[in-house]
Amino acid sequence: HADHHLPKFSQQGIVAYKESPETLPRFVFIDTAGKESTLFIPSQRNEINYDVNDSLLVWTERHNHVRWENADRSVIKIMDIKNRKCRTLRAECFYTSVSLSAGGDSLVVVSTHLDSRQTINVIDLEGRLLRRIEMPQAVNVASPIIATDGTVYAVETSVDGACIVNATSYIVS
């Protein structure tokens, strides 16, 4: 028995996050003929969240601090699907919910800082910060996306419930 989570479709086939009792969790590619191959076996994951386009697969991984759990960090992994080479973007915060821009030239990611403050960061594929959106203190955000016009949307949750918001309406730096 295996579970294929959050399938993402492309012209070449399907990318999915596969979990089973027999093997380590992994990203797999299923071609149009139904043949499955392993793309990458990640280390400790923050969540089952990733994004893919025709050439890149991106996700976040957790890196535990050896002595203090509140100092855990995460990294963004970027894999070139064609040559299967993977690289890492490091940060001094905890990344979650990464997604690619429509053009595939930037990423949007939720960052949680040590003071529990959250920001939505738009970064280029080298990790340079292009835009930072400061979120209100009592609000949690997830699943950010960048629309083709550059507008950033996200799911916002608070004590009042959840909704989709135009995150660029908050403080942008």
Side-chain angles (χ1 to χ4, degrees), residues 4 35 41 44 51 63 88 91-92 129 136 171:
H4 292 78
K35 183 176 181 243
I41 300 172
Q44 188 175 4
D51 201 11
H63 285 204
T88 302
E92 291 302 316
L129 182 67
I171 301 169

Side-chain angles (χ1 to χ4, degrees), residues 56-58 76-80 85-87 89 107 125:
L56 297 175
L57 170 65
V58 297
I76 296 173
K77 294 286 197 165
I78 302 174
M79 182 180 148
D80 184 315
K85 292 197 179 188
C86 192
R87 58 193 179 88
L89 301 180
L107 305 169
L125 296 180

